Every structure is written in structure tokens, then in C-alpha cells.
Amino acid sequence: MFSNSTGPDGISVNILQKLENEVTKPLKLIFLKSISSGEVPQDWKDANVIPIFKKGGKSNPGNYRPISLTSIVGKLLETLIKETLMDHLLKNELIRNSQHGFLPNKSCATNLLEFLEYLTKSVDEGNSIDILYLDFAKAFDKVPHKRLLAKIKALNINGNLLKWIENWLTGRRQRVVINGKASNWKLVLSGVPQGSVLGPICFIIFINDLDLAAILSDMKKKFADDTKILKQIRGQQDQQIFQECIESLVKWSKDWGMEFNNKKCKIMHIGKNNPKFEYKMDNDTLDSTSIEKDIGVHITSDLKPTKHCEIAANKARAVLGQISKSFHFRDRKVFVRLYKTYVRPHLEFSVSVWNPYSVQDIRTIENIQIRAVNMVSGLTGKSYSEKLSEIGMMSLKTRRKRFDLIQVFKIINGIDRVKHETWFKKSADFATRSTRLTANENNLLKPMAKTEIRRNFFSHRTIDMWNNLPAEIKEIKKISPFKTRLDKHLFTSAAAYEFEE
């Protein structure tokens, strides 16, 4: 019988944890031998593929997501190699700033905040932008091994490490395991190994030079294989330049064996006076779209968060309904934990990117939590705020304010590996005379904004809160004590304003 949580070698995490003292020394010797010889045991190169149902009819194989399970022991050594590899890549700045996926101190939020900062600023200035959303055809499965190794070597990764990675990529096998029954082994001839630790790093190395193909564009943003290319459109000439950029991308994809799925690549037109030109990709006219799911957040051509609020609320409402049907006695300890684990994340994923500002959107999101709190037993006859206080929770609106402050703190203090100048200007750096605003080096300048979209975007709405940080933190702490590491860091930052707890 095969386990659904282990690789083909059958060694689980529990076994390694229980036998920690016994296996540490032997594993160390095996790891050292593997690295020095550049050879990887076959058990570490084999994978069990487990189909996980997604949605739709269960009889359709296309409705299952294949999950690749590899040796946990092999992953331990991959983790050690990944740390060395990542240190080399980051120290020498070998991965382009456009990539935000699988990198430390970068995230979906940093990707989208940079992307929307450019868009909202351009729209505020009255410009038109065309966005190309790229879709690779089975990106992770199509990476050619020899070309990948050539790119790895070009980054000055050689010696035993390069030899080990080459051996790790070759001779890989996989089989499908369903209900304890396994298929025959099948050789894997291309692609980065899914279910591995090193696979994602190899992939971002492979598509690292995609930026060079899109050099004619104004901005490139990547999160693993999710890629978008932007170009400001002032007339026919810009349309031709962007078309040349698309043709360059197609050439790159064919040269490197990573072809695009033309039918799923989309164009989004931003701006009131956008001429909405057509574009072709390999002789196929690209479809235009007014809404696109971009790494978990729904971006619309008007840049408003309304549609994402609706979708997020609908998902959260459906999950809350399932929980309420499954648990008839809804005590505050278990039910609240279920809500926080399975419902609230739908309402807060990358929330600094799409923070709602209209009364209707705020109500749409908050109503989900109101409904959940009303389901908790023993809280009848009290107001919403009283119920939240009794069970130790904040309103979602207050939590969004807290998330905004934490995100600003991470950017300003370099916790997120991005340039704070993208969003903020410190008042002390641009002051010509001493004022109350320039008295503290942490204060930020607030530029002018014409449009509602720009005024309510992250880089504008957070500045007044940040410049008034002590009072904002006092207000939040009245509702709920700080619990996380970042909360404590944020409070420490407030101490710079001579604010005492």
C-alpha cells in the first residue's frame, strides 16, 4: 500500500523526526558523498503522481490536478543546495527585479503593488496602457534540460554543484498512484521536477532572460510563470512597438522551447481614451479582456476593487455555508477558529492591493464576518462590535488598516526586498525648510492625485496613517493586542515618534 504523503521510498516525515538522533550522522555522510561525487540516488529522482480532484465531473481526468510526491530525504539535501544557490543568485543580483515568485522577501502582494502603482499613476496622469497577460503552455513541464543547464552554467554555477544538478535532472521517473495501485514507471524527458525544492528555482533561472525579449515594453512583472507586459499607448507608433515586443517574445519562446498558449494570452486596455488596438501573436489575434485573475486578485480595466470584492465575498460565503451545515453547535472556540482558518483568508488575500473604499464594497466584505459572528453561540442580544470584543476579534476594516501599516513598514524598512522609492518619498529627503512633517525622518510626502482610483490606492491612502502612526496604533491596540512579530516591529517603529506603550 502506498501512502499519499510520502515519495516512492516510503520514508515519511514522522519516521525521520522520531529517529532524528539515529539518522542524522548517516544522512550527513550520504549527503556529502552525493555532493562530492555529483551523483543522486535513483530513489531521490523518482516521483509518485497523485491526482487531486479540483471541480466538475469526477469522471473527467482533466478535472484532476496532478501532485508529484518525491523523496523527503532527497528534499532535505535539495533544501541545503537551494540555500547555497539562492545566496549566490541574490548576492550577485543575478535574478532580475521583475521576478517575485519563489524568492525570499517578495510575494504576490509586492508584485501587484508595483504593477498597480504604475497603472494607477499612469491613469491619474491621463495616459492609456495596454497590458499583455502571457500564458505558457504547460510551463514547468516543457523546460528543456540541456538549455536549462546552459543557463545555470552562464550564472557562474559550476563544479560539483553543476554536476549534481545535471545528474539530478537526468534519469528521472514518475508513476501514477491511485487507491494503492501504481502504474509502470515512465521517464521524464523535460521540465523542472515538480514536487521538488529546487524545481521552482530552476524555473525562474530559465525564464530570467525573458525580460530581454520584452525590452521595448515599459514594465515587466513575473511571478514564476505568471507574466504581464505593459506599454503606454499614445498612438499608432506605440501600437507597432508593442506588436514588435510581442513578436520578440514569440521568438524567445520558440528559441527556448517554451511556447505560449495563444488562446489564453489576453490584452487588457486601460484608460478612458485608450484606442484599443488589436495585437497578434504568431498570426493569432489576441482576445481583449476587461477582467483578469492576476496571481489571485481580479484586476479590471477600470482598476476598481468592486469585482474582486464580489468574487472574494462569494467564495467566503460558500465556505461559511458549508461550515455552518457541518457544525450545528457553533461554540466560540471551535467555530471562530474554523472561520479564521477557512473563511477569512478569502477576504484578506493580498488585501493591501485591493483594499475597498466605497461604502458598498466595504459592506460586501464586512457582511461575511457579521454573518459568521452572528452564528456563534451565546452572543445574542449584543451589537456587532460588542460580539467582536467578547470573542477577541477585529472588524475586517480595522484589520485592513493594520495590514496597510505593516506593509508600509515592511517596504520602508527593507523587510520586503523592493525599492521603497517606488511608492514613497521621505519628507526629510526633499525638504527645503524645517516643518512639523520633516521633523521625523520616517514621515512621508503625499503627492497630489486627481482620480478616485489614485487617491485610494496603497501609496496614497496609507501616508496619512503612517505619518500619524502613534495614534493609529493606539486605536488598533484598544481593539486587540498585538500578537505577531510584525505587529511588535510596527510598535517599535512607532517608538521613533517618542510614543510609549
Side-chain angles (χ1 to χ4, degrees):
M1 181 67 71
F2 301 102
S3 170
N4 283 345
S5 60
T6 63
D9 58 9
I11 300 176
S12 67
V13 174
N14 288 336
I15 291 176
L16 293 174
Q17 288 177 338
K18 290 178 181 178
L19 299 177
E20 178 183 354
N21 296 329
E22 289 78 10
V23 302
T24 299
K25 188 173 182 180
L27 285 181
K28 177 183 176 181
L29 296 174
I30 293 171
F31 290 170
L32 290 173
K33 179 66 175 177
S34 177
I35 293 172
S36 61
S37 65
E39 295 181 3
V40 182
Q42 186 61 49
D43 280 354
W44 297 358
K45 298 193 284 185
D46 292 341
N48 286 340
V49 178
I50 307 294
I52 302 296
F53 178 68
K54 294 190 293 184
K55 60 182 179 179
K58 290 190 175 183
S59 60
N60 184 356
N63 292 331
Y64 291 80
R65 183 185 301 278
I67 303 298
S68 184
L69 300 175
T70 56
S71 169
I72 293 172
V73 175
K75 286 181 182 178
L76 290 176
L77 180 54
E78 286 181 48
T79 301
L80 298 174
I81 291 174
K82 175 194 170 185
E83 291 175 359
T84 301
L85 194 60
M86 188 62 70
D87 182 64
H88 171 73
L89 294 174
L90 297 181
K91 184 178 179 181
N92 296 286
E93 299 181 349
L94 298 174
I95 298 297
R96 298 178 188 277
N97 291 330
S98 62
Q99 180 62 262
H100 290 247
F102 306 125
L103 295 173
N105 306 114
K106 284 192 171 184
S107 63
C108 297
T110 58
N111 178 297
L112 291 169
L113 285 173
E114 284 186 359
F115 170 60
L116 287 171
E117 172 66 19
Y118 180 86
L119 285 183
T120 56
K121 187 176 181 179
S122 294
V123 170
D124 196 63
E125 293 170 351
N127 299 321
S128 296
I129 305 292
D130 282 350
I131 308 168
L132 170 63
Y133 283 97
L134 292 172
D135 185 270
F136 288 97
K138 297 184 178 179
F140 283 76
D141 297 327
K142 292 287 185 72
V143 176
H145 290 167
K146 288 185 178 179
R147 298 176 197 183
L148 170 60
L149 289 168
K151 290 193 174 187
I152 292 174
K153 188 175 182 180
L155 298 178
N156 201 28
I157 298 168
N158 42 45
N160 287 339
L161 180 56
L162 179 63
K163 185 179 178 182
W164 190 95
I165 294 174
E166 182 177 6
N167 190 274
W168 174 75
L169 285 170
T170 55
R172 300 194 71 89
R173 304 183 302 174
Q174 64 183 23
R175 62 183 176 183
V176 178
V177 177
I178 302 177
N179 296 328
K181 304 293 184 181
S183 69
N184 294 327
W185 289 108
K186 189 75 173 178
L187 282 175
V188 180
L189 302 177
S190 66
V192 294
Q194 297 197 41
S196 65
V197 175
L198 276 180
I201 306 303
C202 289
F203 182 81
I204 66 173
I205 288 174
F206 189 80
I207 67 166
N208 190 42
D209 62 346
L210 179 67
D211 294 36
L212 298 178
I215 198 168
L216 295 175
S217 65
D218 294 334
M219 174 181 274
K220 288 80 64 177
K221 281 285 164 275
K222 303 195 292 284
F223 191 90
D225 62 327
D226 288 314
T227 305
K228 45 192 173 277
I229 313 293
L230 291 74
K231 178 65 180 173
Q232 188 177 131
I233 304 297
R234 293 174 289 265
Q236 192 73 41
Q237 185 178 359
D238 288 319
Q239 187 269 346
Q240 292 173 357
I241 293 173
F242 201 31
Q243 181 61 57
E244 290 176 18
C245 180
I246 294 173
E247 291 168 2
S248 178
L249 288 166
V250 171
K251 184 179 183 302
W252 179 93
S253 70
K254 291 181 177 180
D255 288 345
W256 293 101
M258 288 283 290
E259 295 190 15
F260 298 117
N261 188 337
N262 296 355
K263 292 183 179 180
K264 291 187 177 180
C265 294
K266 301 288 178 63
I267 290 286
M268 181 180 287
H269 304 288
I270 305 291
K272 290 183 178 180
N273 299 317
N274 194 304
K276 299 183 179 179
F277 292 115
E278 283 190 350
Y279 299 93
K280 290 183 179 293
M281 176 173 278
D282 209 11
N283 296 322
D284 293 328
T285 300
L286 292 172
D287 293 333
S288 62
T289 181
S290 60
I291 179 171
E292 186 73 14
K293 187 177 181 181
D294 189 353
I295 48 178
V297 176
H298 294 83
I299 305 297
T300 56
S301 55
D302 61 6
L303 300 182
K304 293 182 179 180
T306 301
K307 191 62 180 179
H308 182 81
C309 289
E310 293 175 3
I311 294 172
N314 287 337
K315 285 184 179 179
R317 190 180 296 111
V319 176
L320 182 59
Q322 293 172 348
I323 293 174
S324 66
K325 290 177 182 178
S326 302
F327 294 84
H328 298 290
F329 179 69
R330 301 157 189 163
D331 68 294
R332 64 185 63 185
K333 184 177 181 180
V334 175
F335 190 78
V336 169
R337 182 176 293 180
L338 288 169
Y339 164 76
K340 290 179 178 180
T341 304
Y342 296 106
V343 180
R344 196 167 66 183
H346 289 292
L347 306 172
E348 295 184 336
F349 174 75
S350 291
V351 71
S352 292
V353 174
W354 56 271
N355 197 320
Y357 53 85
S358 72
V359 173
Q360 182 58 47
D361 290 347
I362 293 172
R363 186 180 297 121
T364 297
I365 295 297
E366 197 71 44
N367 280 345
I368 305 300
Q369 181 159 288
I370 292 173
R371 181 184 173 192
V373 170
N374 288 339
M375 291 180 180
V376 179
S377 302
L379 296 178
T380 55
K382 298 180 180 180
S383 67
Y384 174 52
S385 58
E386 289 172 336
K387 291 176 182 179
L388 288 177
S389 179
E390 187 162 334
I391 59 180
M393 288 174 58
M394 297 182 192
S395 70
L396 294 177
K397 185 177 181 179
T398 302
R399 283 177 60 82
R400 289 194 294 272
K401 182 183 291 188
R402 169 181 166 272
F403 285 137
D404 273 350
L405 290 172
I406 289 174
Q407 186 62 57
V408 175
F409 174 81
K410 289 165 68 177
I411 291 172
I412 294 293
N413 290 277
I415 296 176
D416 279 345
R417 201 166 48 84
V418 293
K419 296 179 180 178
H420 75 267
E421 295 88 354
T422 302
W423 300 273
F424 306 116
K425 294 180 179 179
K426 292 185 177 181
S427 56
D429 295 339
F430 294 87
T432 56
R433 59 191 179 87
S434 180
T435 64
R436 182 186 62 82
L437 191 62
T438 62
N440 191 292
E441 62 179 10
N442 291 308
N443 282 335
L444 304 173
L445 286 176
K446 187 172 184 178
M448 297 294 292
K450 301 174 185 176
T451 60
E452 180 186 50
I453 294 295
R454 185 63 177 164
R455 286 194 298 270
N456 289 283
F457 184 61
F458 170 77
S459 58
H460 268 243
R461 69 169 183 267
T462 56
I463 290 178
D464 288 339
M465 287 194 300
W466 182 260
N467 290 344
N468 195 31
L469 187 59
E472 295 290 350
I473 289 184
K474 263 186 178 179
E475 191 63 29
I476 295 174
K477 282 176 67 66
K478 285 180 184 177
I479 301 169
S480 178
F482 285 178
K483 297 178 181 180
T484 70
R485 177 177 57 85
L486 277 174
D487 278 328
K488 293 175 181 176
H489 280 317
L490 187 59
F491 180 77
T492 303
S493 181
Y497 294 80
E498 301 180 354
F499 169 65
E500 295 182 358
E501 187 175 7

